[in-house]
Amino acid sequence: MSPPAPPPYRVGAGHDTHRTAPNAGVTGEAKPLMLGCVEVPADYHLVGHSDADVLAHAVTDAILGACGAGDIGELFPNTAAENAGRDSADFLREAVRRSAERGWRVGNLDCTVHAERPKLSAFKAPIAARLAELMGVDAEAVNVKAKSGEAVGPVGRGEALVADAVVLLTRDDR
């Protein structure tokens, strides 16, 4: 008896958390708040070794997990100098490339950003479009949700942003 055929799909989940820091440094320079590879106006930025894009990191991890290619920390360690300030779009592109290398493509993405502020309603469509572009799918295959922290915990107090992502990969028969 031969082994069963592999399933035509795989699911991956991603999660990330970054703390916030005010954009009022001694130099007066403001760092951008990046969410899903889109700059979102805010009076704070996220702290991290790269550009600290919490949503792009969660999506990257979801894709890597779904195709069995490890996680973002293994591929892009925060101890590597070349990753300092790096654009998280690079991470996402590499996850999609590794997924394709293994015979998978993104079917759809559902993701959530947990942030007390700024309100993200006006940014959900541009974020979905940018993520879709980076993953090579139609924007309708990407759903972006935003939730507040309801003044509870680190998110509610504005100390951190959290993102969750679930991705469906399908066999690439093209």
Side-chain angles (χ1 to χ4, degrees):
M1 178 187 252
S2 60
Y9 54 85
R10 291 183 74 169
V11 175
H15 173 88
D16 198 25
T17 303
H18 281 274
R19 61 190 164 87
T20 62
N23 267 340
V26 227
T27 62
E29 291 184 75
K31 291 183 182 178
L33 171 62
M34 299 301 294
L35 293 175
C37 303
V38 170
E39 189 172 331
V40 175
D43 61 351
Y44 67 90
H45 63 274
L46 297 177
V47 177
H49 188 64
S50 66
D51 65 4
D53 186 330
V54 69
L55 180 56
H57 295 179
V59 174
T60 298
D61 257 352
I63 293 170
L64 291 171
C67 72
D71 66 45
I72 194 170
E74 294 170 15
L75 296 180
F76 303 101
N78 64 5
T79 54
E82 65 269 16
N83 295 327
R86 192 162 176 185
D87 183 348
S88 292
D90 293 346
F91 303 160
L92 186 50
R93 282 189 203 96
E94 180 62 14
V96 170
R97 188 193 70 73
R98 286 176 183 244
S99 174
E101 202 173 61
R102 289 167 170 74
W104 299 101
R105 63 183 167 88
V106 174
N108 76 295
L109 165 69
D110 185 36
C111 55
T112 307
V113 178
H114 304 266
E116 192 67 19
R117 61 180 177 73
K119 297 301 178 197
L120 298 174
S121 297
F123 299 97
K124 292 191 300 185
I127 290 170
R130 179 67 173 137
L131 291 173
E133 174 191 348
L134 291 166
M135 295 184 300
V137 300
D138 289 330
E140 66 186 29
V142 178
N143 187 55
V144 177
K145 301 183 299 281
K147 303 291 179 192
S148 76
E150 298 294 334
V152 177
V155 170
R157 290 189 300 269
E159 299 167 357
L161 264 64
V162 172
D164 297 298
V166 177
V167 69
L168 176 73
L169 298 184
T170 60
R171 281 276 170 213
D172 192 356
D173 297 327
R174 292 182 269 177

